[in-house]
Amino acid sequence: MTNLEKYTNVFVENLQVTADQCKGLQYQGVELWDSVGHMTLVAALEDAFDIMLETDDIVDLSSFEKGMEILKKYDVEF
């Protein structure tokens, strides 16, 4: 499984969206991506990539694409 597939799966499983819906997905763009869902998503990303996100990065995670940009800081290649 590629990192992009792993990343997409975290969104699909935690926000109950399809892989096609992930592109362009924004914070609060679906019902499950509220403040609680955000922290669940962050925890799942940390588990999937064995990283610990810094607080600023957690706050900045505002879209599917922004998340990929943030994870690159943690040496996750897409």
Side-chain angles (χ1 to χ4, degrees):
M1 180 180 294
T2 68
N3 281 340
L4 180 58
E5 290 169 333
K6 192 186 310 185
Y7 179 74
T8 302
N9 282 343
V10 169
F11 278 77
V12 168
E13 292 173 9
N14 287 278
L15 300 179
Q16 297 178 2
V17 294
T18 66
D20 291 338
Q21 290 175 300
C22 289
K23 186 175 181 184
L25 188 62
Q26 301 278 327
Y27 174 62
Q28 295 185 335
V30 292
E31 185 177 344
L32 290 177
W33 199 356
D34 57 7
S35 59
V36 174
H38 187 73
M39 294 313 296
T40 303
L41 184 66
V42 166
L45 288 169
E46 290 177 334
D47 287 345
F49 294 101
D50 196 27
I51 57 173
M52 283 294 288
L53 294 172
E54 295 179 17
T55 303
D56 289 344
D57 292 329
I58 293 170
V59 172
D60 288 344
L61 178 58
S62 58
S63 70
F64 181 78
E65 287 77 12
K66 182 68 175 179
M68 288 191 293
E69 181 182 315
I70 291 168
L71 290 185
K72 288 179 183 176
K73 293 171 36 179
Y74 296 86
D75 298 322
V76 177
E77 298 295 326
F78 293 99

PDB file of all heavy atoms in Angstrom, residues 37-67:
ATOM      1  N   GLY A  37     -14.209  14.817  15.459  1.00  0.00           N
ATOM      2  CA  GLY A  37     -13.753  14.032  14.321  1.00  0.00           C
ATOM      3  C   GLY A  37     -12.358  14.428  13.885  1.00  0.00           C
ATOM      4  O   GLY A  37     -11.570  13.600  13.413  1.00  0.00           O
ATOM      5  N   HIS A  38     -12.034  15.699  14.051  1.00  0.00           N
ATOM      6  CA  HIS A  38     -10.697  16.193  13.693  1.00  0.00           C
ATOM      7  C   HIS A  38      -9.635  15.503  14.546  1.00  0.00           C
ATOM      8  O   HIS A  38      -8.620  15.047  14.025  1.00  0.00           O
ATOM      9  CB  HIS A  38     -10.641  17.713  13.877  1.00  0.00           C
ATOM     10  CG  HIS A  38      -9.382  18.334  13.377  1.00  0.00           C
ATOM     11  ND1 HIS A  38      -9.108  18.481  12.039  1.00  0.00           N
ATOM     12  CD2 HIS A  38      -8.305  18.838  14.042  1.00  0.00           C
ATOM     13  CE1 HIS A  38      -7.923  19.062  11.899  1.00  0.00           C
ATOM     14  NE2 HIS A  38      -7.422  19.281  13.097  1.00  0.00           N
ATOM     15  N   MET A  39      -9.881  15.423  15.841  1.00  0.00           N
ATOM     16  CA  MET A  39      -8.902  14.798  16.732  1.00  0.00           C
ATOM     17  C   MET A  39      -8.812  13.290  16.477  1.00  0.00           C
ATOM     18  O   MET A  39      -7.730  12.698  16.571  1.00  0.00           O
ATOM     19  CB  MET A  39      -9.240  15.096  18.194  1.00  0.00           C
ATOM     20  CG  MET A  39      -9.114  16.573  18.539  1.00  0.00           C
ATOM     21  SD  MET A  39      -7.589  17.369  17.968  1.00  0.00           S
ATOM     22  CE  MET A  39      -6.348  16.489  18.911  1.00  0.00           C
ATOM     23  N   THR A  40      -9.927  12.663  16.126  1.00  0.00           N
ATOM     24  CA  THR A  40      -9.920  11.248  15.770  1.00  0.00           C
ATOM     25  C   THR A  40      -9.097  11.035  14.505  1.00  0.00           C
ATOM     26  O   THR A  40      -8.301  10.095  14.412  1.00  0.00           O
ATOM     27  CB  THR A  40     -11.360  10.737  15.571  1.00  0.00           C
ATOM     28  OG1 THR A  40     -12.105  10.977  16.769  1.00  0.00           O
ATOM     29  CG2 THR A  40     -11.393   9.263  15.228  1.00  0.00           C
ATOM     30  N   LEU A  41      -9.279  11.925  13.545  1.00  0.00           N
ATOM     31  CA  LEU A  41      -8.523  11.866  12.290  1.00  0.00           C
ATOM     32  C   LEU A  41      -7.030  12.040  12.558  1.00  0.00           C
ATOM     33  O   LEU A  41      -6.201  11.296  12.031  1.00  0.00           O
ATOM     34  CB  LEU A  41      -9.028  12.956  11.340  1.00  0.00           C
ATOM     35  CG  LEU A  41      -8.424  12.989   9.949  1.00  0.00           C
ATOM     36  CD1 LEU A  41      -8.811  11.753   9.144  1.00  0.00           C
ATOM     37  CD2 LEU A  41      -8.865  14.251   9.215  1.00  0.00           C
ATOM     38  N   VAL A  42      -6.675  12.996  13.394  1.00  0.00           N
ATOM     39  CA  VAL A  42      -5.270  13.234  13.741  1.00  0.00           C
ATOM     40  C   VAL A  42      -4.665  11.995  14.392  1.00  0.00           C
ATOM     41  O   VAL A  42      -3.567  11.561  14.025  1.00  0.00           O
ATOM     42  CB  VAL A  42      -5.140  14.466  14.670  1.00  0.00           C
ATOM     43  CG1 VAL A  42      -3.760  14.540  15.308  1.00  0.00           C
ATOM     44  CG2 VAL A  42      -5.443  15.744  13.900  1.00  0.00           C
ATOM     45  N   ALA A  43      -5.370  11.405  15.336  1.00  0.00           N
ATOM     46  CA  ALA A  43      -4.867  10.202  16.013  1.00  0.00           C
ATOM     47  C   ALA A  43      -4.669   9.065  15.014  1.00  0.00           C
ATOM     48  O   ALA A  43      -3.662   8.337  15.079  1.00  0.00           O
ATOM     49  CB  ALA A  43      -5.832   9.782  17.125  1.00  0.00           C
ATOM     50  N   ALA A  44      -5.602   8.925  14.079  1.00  0.00           N
ATOM     51  CA  ALA A  44      -5.489   7.861  13.079  1.00  0.00           C
ATOM     52  C   ALA A  44      -4.306   8.109  12.144  1.00  0.00           C
ATOM     53  O   ALA A  44      -3.599   7.168  11.767  1.00  0.00           O
ATOM     54  CB  ALA A  44      -6.790   7.756  12.286  1.00  0.00           C
ATOM     55  N   LEU A  45      -4.075   9.363  11.777  1.00  0.00           N
ATOM     56  CA  LEU A  45      -2.917   9.689  10.937  1.00  0.00           C
ATOM     57  C   LEU A  45      -1.611   9.412  11.680  1.00  0.00           C
ATOM     58  O   LEU A  45      -0.665   8.867  11.104  1.00  0.00           O
ATOM     59  CB  LEU A  45      -2.970  11.155  10.492  1.00  0.00           C
ATOM     60  CG  LEU A  45      -4.027  11.508   9.455  1.00  0.00           C
ATOM     61  CD1 LEU A  45      -4.147  13.021   9.300  1.00  0.00           C
ATOM     62  CD2 LEU A  45      -3.700  10.857   8.119  1.00  0.00           C
ATOM     63  N   GLU A  46      -1.569   9.781  12.949  1.00  0.00           N
ATOM     64  CA  GLU A  46      -0.372   9.521  13.747  1.00  0.00           C
ATOM     65  C   GLU A  46      -0.094   8.030  13.844  1.00  0.00           C
ATOM     66  O   GLU A  46       1.053   7.595  13.719  1.00  0.00           O
ATOM     67  CB  GLU A  46      -0.517  10.146  15.140  1.00  0.00           C
ATOM     68  CG  GLU A  46      -0.467  11.658  15.132  1.00  0.00           C
ATOM     69  CD  GLU A  46      -0.674  12.285  16.490  1.00  0.00           C
ATOM     70  OE1 GLU A  46      -1.329  11.666  17.365  1.00  0.00           O
ATOM     71  OE2 GLU A  46      -0.177  13.402  16.690  1.00  0.00           O
ATOM     72  N   ASP A  47      -1.131   7.237  14.045  1.00  0.00           N
ATOM     73  CA  ASP A  47      -0.973   5.777  14.109  1.00  0.00           C
ATOM     74  C   ASP A  47      -0.541   5.203  12.765  1.00  0.00           C
ATOM     75  O   ASP A  47       0.355   4.372  12.703  1.00  0.00           O
ATOM     76  CB  ASP A  47      -2.276   5.106  14.553  1.00  0.00           C
ATOM     77  CG  ASP A  47      -2.573   5.318  16.026  1.00  0.00           C
ATOM     78  OD1 ASP A  47      -1.666   5.732  16.779  1.00  0.00           O
ATOM     79  OD2 ASP A  47      -3.728   5.073  16.423  1.00  0.00           O
ATOM     80  N   ALA A  48      -1.168   5.653  11.698  1.00  0.00           N
ATOM     81  CA  ALA A  48      -0.897   5.109  10.369  1.00  0.00           C
ATOM     82  C   ALA A  48       0.537   5.366   9.921  1.00  0.00           C
ATOM     83  O   ALA A  48       1.153   4.522   9.269  1.00  0.00           O
ATOM     84  CB  ALA A  48      -1.875   5.689   9.354  1.00  0.00           C
ATOM     85  N   PHE A  49       1.068   6.528  10.300  1.00  0.00           N
ATOM     86  CA  PHE A  49       2.411   6.907   9.839  1.00  0.00           C
ATOM     87  C   PHE A  49       3.450   6.911  10.953  1.00  0.00           C
ATOM     88  O   PHE A  49       4.596   7.302  10.733  1.00  0.00           O
ATOM     89  CB  PHE A  49       2.358   8.262   9.137  1.00  0.00           C
ATOM     90  CG  PHE A  49       1.567   8.218   7.855  1.00  0.00           C
ATOM     91  CD1 PHE A  49       0.268   8.685   7.803  1.00  0.00           C
ATOM     92  CD2 PHE A  49       2.114   7.682   6.703  1.00  0.00           C
ATOM     93  CE1 PHE A  49      -0.475   8.628   6.627  1.00  0.00           C
ATOM     94  CE2 PHE A  49       1.393   7.619   5.524  1.00  0.00           C
ATOM     95  CZ  PHE A  49       0.095   8.084   5.490  1.00  0.00           C
ATOM     96  N   ASP A  50       3.066   6.463  12.146  1.00  0.00           N
ATOM     97  CA  ASP A  50       3.975   6.374  13.292  1.00  0.00           C
ATOM     98  C   ASP A  50       4.704   7.698  13.539  1.00  0.00           C
ATOM     99  O   ASP A  50       5.934   7.762  13.577  1.00  0.00           O
ATOM    100  CB  ASP A  50       4.977   5.228  13.095  1.00  0.00           C
ATOM    101  CG  ASP A  50       5.673   4.849  14.387  1.00  0.00           C
ATOM    102  OD1 ASP A  50       5.075   5.052  15.468  1.00  0.00           O
ATOM    103  OD2 ASP A  50       6.821   4.368  14.326  1.00  0.00           O
ATOM    104  N   ILE A  51       3.900   8.760  13.670  1.00  0.00           N
ATOM    105  CA  ILE A  51       4.425  10.098  13.917  1.00  0.00           C
ATOM    106  C   ILE A  51       3.635  10.745  15.047  1.00  0.00           C
ATOM    107  O   ILE A  51       2.587  10.233  15.449  1.00  0.00           O
ATOM    108  CB  ILE A  51       4.326  10.998  12.658  1.00  0.00           C
ATOM    109  CG1 ILE A  51       2.870  11.088  12.168  1.00  0.00           C
ATOM    110  CG2 ILE A  51       5.258  10.509  11.552  1.00  0.00           C
ATOM    111  CD1 ILE A  51       2.652  12.074  11.046  1.00  0.00           C
ATOM    112  N   MET A  52       4.126  11.866  15.547  1.00  0.00           N
ATOM    113  CA  MET A  52       3.394  12.699  16.499  1.00  0.00           C
ATOM    114  C   MET A  52       3.340  14.103  15.907  1.00  0.00           C
ATOM    115  O   MET A  52       4.368  14.759  15.744  1.00  0.00           O
ATOM    116  CB  MET A  52       4.102  12.750  17.860  1.00  0.00           C
ATOM    117  CG  MET A  52       3.920  11.504  18.698  1.00  0.00           C
ATOM    118  SD  MET A  52       2.224  11.238  19.228  1.00  0.00           S
ATOM    119  CE  MET A  52       2.038  12.523  20.441  1.00  0.00           C
ATOM    120  N   LEU A  53       2.140  14.545  15.554  1.00  0.00           N
ATOM    121  CA  LEU A  53       1.987  15.867  14.963  1.00  0.00           C
ATOM    122  C   LEU A  53       2.125  16.947  16.033  1.00  0.00           C
ATOM    123  O   LEU A  53       1.640  16.792  17.155  1.00  0.00           O
ATOM    124  CB  LEU A  53       0.615  15.994  14.293  1.00  0.00           C
ATOM    125  CG  LEU A  53       0.373  15.114  13.072  1.00  0.00           C
ATOM    126  CD1 LEU A  53      -1.084  15.205  12.639  1.00  0.00           C
ATOM    127  CD2 LEU A  53       1.280  15.511  11.933  1.00  0.00           C
ATOM    128  N   GLU A  54       2.774  18.040  15.656  1.00  0.00           N
ATOM    129  CA  GLU A  54       2.880  19.186  16.551  1.00  0.00           C
ATOM    130  C   GLU A  54       1.536  19.914  16.587  1.00  0.00           C
ATOM    131  O   GLU A  54       0.745  19.835  15.638  1.00  0.00           O
ATOM    132  CB  GLU A  54       3.968  20.135  16.047  1.00  0.00           C
ATOM    133  CG  GLU A  54       5.355  19.519  16.100  1.00  0.00           C
ATOM    134  CD  GLU A  54       6.428  20.451  15.579  1.00  0.00           C
ATOM    135  OE1 GLU A  54       6.177  21.674  15.476  1.00  0.00           O
ATOM    136  OE2 GLU A  54       7.516  19.957  15.280  1.00  0.00           O
ATOM    137  N   THR A  55       1.292  20.627  17.666  1.00  0.00           N
ATOM    138  CA  THR A  55       0.016  21.316  17.855  1.00  0.00           C
ATOM    139  C   THR A  55      -0.314  22.239  16.688  1.00  0.00           C
ATOM    140  O   THR A  55      -1.450  22.253  16.206  1.00  0.00           O
ATOM    141  CB  THR A  55       0.022  22.113  19.174  1.00  0.00           C
ATOM    142  OG1 THR A  55       0.296  21.210  20.249  1.00  0.00           O
ATOM    143  CG2 THR A  55      -1.306  22.800  19.417  1.00  0.00           C
ATOM    144  N   ASP A  56       0.654  23.009  16.211  1.00  0.00           N
ATOM    145  CA  ASP A  56       0.407  23.921  15.090  1.00  0.00           C
ATOM    146  C   ASP A  56      -0.035  23.163  13.840  1.00  0.00           C
ATOM    147  O   ASP A  56      -0.884  23.641  13.088  1.00  0.00           O
ATOM    148  CB  ASP A  56       1.649  24.753  14.769  1.00  0.00           C
ATOM    149  CG  ASP A  56       1.939  25.806  15.834  1.00  0.00           C
ATOM    150  OD1 ASP A  56       1.040  26.102  16.651  1.00  0.00           O
ATOM    151  OD2 ASP A  56       3.069  26.334  15.843  1.00  0.00           O
ATOM    152  N   ASP A  57       0.541  21.992  13.630  1.00  0.00           N
ATOM    153  CA  ASP A  57       0.171  21.199  12.462  1.00  0.00           C
ATOM    154  C   ASP A  57      -1.237  20.618  12.603  1.00  0.00           C
ATOM    155  O   ASP A  57      -1.969  20.520  11.620  1.00  0.00           O
ATOM    156  CB  ASP A  57       1.190  20.081  12.226  1.00  0.00           C
ATOM    157  CG  ASP A  57       2.537  20.628  11.791  1.00  0.00           C
ATOM    158  OD1 ASP A  57       2.563  21.686  11.119  1.00  0.00           O
ATOM    159  OD2 ASP A  57       3.565  20.013  12.117  1.00  0.00           O
ATOM    160  N   ILE A  58      -1.616  20.264  13.815  1.00  0.00           N
ATOM    161  CA  ILE A  58      -2.976  19.762  14.067  1.00  0.00           C
ATOM    162  C   ILE A  58      -3.996  20.859  13.743  1.00  0.00           C
ATOM    163  O   ILE A  58      -4.998  20.613  13.084  1.00  0.00           O
ATOM    164  CB  ILE A  58      -3.127  19.275  15.529  1.00  0.00           C
ATOM    165  CG1 ILE A  58      -2.255  18.033  15.751  1.00  0.00           C
ATOM    166  CG2 ILE A  58      -4.593  19.000  15.864  1.00  0.00           C
ATOM    167  CD1 ILE A  58      -2.139  17.605  17.204  1.00  0.00           C
ATOM    168  N   VAL A  59      -3.697  22.066  14.182  1.00  0.00           N
ATOM    169  CA  VAL A  59      -4.586  23.202  13.927  1.00  0.00           C
ATOM    170  C   VAL A  59      -4.624  23.529  12.429  1.00  0.00           C
ATOM    171  O   VAL A  59      -5.681  23.846  11.887  1.00  0.00           O
ATOM    172  CB  VAL A  59      -4.129  24.432  14.741  1.00  0.00           C
ATOM    173  CG1 VAL A  59      -4.910  25.678  14.350  1.00  0.00           C
ATOM    174  CG2 VAL A  59      -4.263  24.161  16.229  1.00  0.00           C
ATOM    175  N   ASP A  60      -3.481  23.432  11.758  1.00  0.00           N
ATOM    176  CA  ASP A  60      -3.391  23.772  10.334  1.00  0.00           C
ATOM    177  C   ASP A  60      -4.002  22.728   9.406  1.00  0.00           C
ATOM    178  O   ASP A  60      -4.212  22.996   8.225  1.00  0.00           O
ATOM    179  CB  ASP A  60      -1.932  23.993   9.929  1.00  0.00           C
ATOM    180  CG  ASP A  60      -1.360  25.281  10.484  1.00  0.00           C
ATOM    181  OD1 ASP A  60      -2.147  26.146  10.927  1.00  0.00           O
ATOM    182  OD2 ASP A  60      -0.123  25.424  10.481  1.00  0.00           O
ATOM    183  N   LEU A  61      -4.292  21.544   9.912  1.00  0.00           N
ATOM    184  CA  LEU A  61      -4.856  20.472   9.086  1.00  0.00           C
ATOM    185  C   LEU A  61      -6.301  20.828   8.726  1.00  0.00           C
ATOM    186  O   LEU A  61      -7.243  20.472   9.411  1.00  0.00           O
ATOM    187  CB  LEU A  61      -4.793  19.137   9.831  1.00  0.00           C
ATOM    188  CG  LEU A  61      -5.376  17.908   9.141  1.00  0.00           C
ATOM    189  CD1 LEU A  61      -4.712  17.660   7.802  1.00  0.00           C
ATOM    190  CD2 LEU A  61      -5.233  16.686  10.019  1.00  0.00           C
ATOM    191  N   SER A  62      -6.447  21.580   7.646  1.00  0.00           N
ATOM    192  CA  SER A  62      -7.756  22.127   7.297  1.00  0.00           C
ATOM    193  C   SER A  62      -8.370  21.505   6.044  1.00  0.00           C
ATOM    194  O   SER A  62      -9.500  21.820   5.700  1.00  0.00           O
ATOM    195  CB  SER A  62      -7.632  23.638   7.094  1.00  0.00           C
ATOM    196  OG  SER A  62      -6.667  23.909   6.080  1.00  0.00           O
ATOM    197  N   SER A  63      -7.607  20.650   5.370  1.00  0.00           N
ATOM    198  CA  SER A  63      -8.134  20.005   4.169  1.00  0.00           C
ATOM    199  C   SER A  63      -7.332  18.742   3.884  1.00  0.00           C
ATOM    200  O   SER A  63      -6.255  18.531   4.451  1.00  0.00           O
ATOM    201  CB  SER A  63      -8.048  20.944   2.956  1.00  0.00           C
ATOM    202  OG  SER A  63      -6.696  21.128   2.565  1.00  0.00           O
ATOM    203  N   PHE A  64      -7.856  17.934   3.003  1.00  0.00           N
ATOM    204  CA  PHE A  64      -7.174  16.706   2.584  1.00  0.00           C
ATOM    205  C   PHE A  64      -5.790  17.045   2.016  1.00  0.00           C
ATOM    206  O   PHE A  64      -4.792  16.445   2.402  1.00  0.00           O
ATOM    207  CB  PHE A  64      -8.038  15.995   1.532  1.00  0.00           C
ATOM    208  CG  PHE A  64      -7.471  14.702   1.031  1.00  0.00           C
ATOM    209  CD1 PHE A  64      -7.562  13.543   1.786  1.00  0.00           C
ATOM    210  CD2 PHE A  64      -6.858  14.637  -0.217  1.00  0.00           C
ATOM    211  CE1 PHE A  64      -7.054  12.338   1.317  1.00  0.00           C
ATOM    212  CE2 PHE A  64      -6.349  13.441  -0.697  1.00  0.00           C
ATOM    213  CZ  PHE A  64      -6.447  12.295   0.077  1.00  0.00           C
ATOM    214  N   GLU A  65      -5.741  18.047   1.143  1.00  0.00           N
ATOM    215  CA  GLU A  65      -4.478  18.427   0.520  1.00  0.00           C
ATOM    216  C   GLU A  65      -3.502  19.046   1.521  1.00  0.00           C
ATOM    217  O   GLU A  65      -2.301  18.787   1.470  1.00  0.00           O
ATOM    218  CB  GLU A  65      -4.730  19.397  -0.642  1.00  0.00           C
ATOM    219  CG  GLU A  65      -5.342  18.748  -1.873  1.00  0.00           C
ATOM    220  CD  GLU A  65      -6.838  18.444  -1.763  1.00  0.00           C
ATOM    221  OE1 GLU A  65      -7.491  18.930  -0.807  1.00  0.00           O
ATOM    222  OE2 GLU A  65      -7.358  17.711  -2.609  1.00  0.00           O
ATOM    223  N   LYS A  66      -4.011  19.854   2.433  1.00  0.00           N
ATOM    224  CA  LYS A  66      -3.144  20.480   3.444  1.00  0.00           C
ATOM    225  C   LYS A  66      -2.525  19.403   4.329  1.00  0.00           C
ATOM    226  O   LYS A  66      -1.366  19.523   4.738  1.00  0.00           O
ATOM    227  CB  LYS A  66      -3.951  21.484   4.280  1.00  0.00           C
ATOM    228  CG  LYS A  66      -3.141  22.216   5.320  1.00  0.00           C
ATOM    229  CD  LYS A  66      -2.136  23.159   4.690  1.00  0.00           C
ATOM    230  CE  LYS A  66      -1.418  23.966   5.764  1.00  0.00           C
ATOM    231  NZ  LYS A  66      -0.418  24.867   5.188  1.00  0.00           N
ATOM    232  N   GLY A  67      -3.263  18.358   4.608  1.00  0.00           N
ATOM    233  CA  GLY A  67      -2.724  17.255   5.410  1.00  0.00           C
ATOM    234  C   GLY A  67      -1.524  16.598   4.751  1.00  0.00           C
ATOM    235  O   GLY A  67      -0.544  16.270   5.418  1.00  0.00           O
TER     236      GLY A  67
END
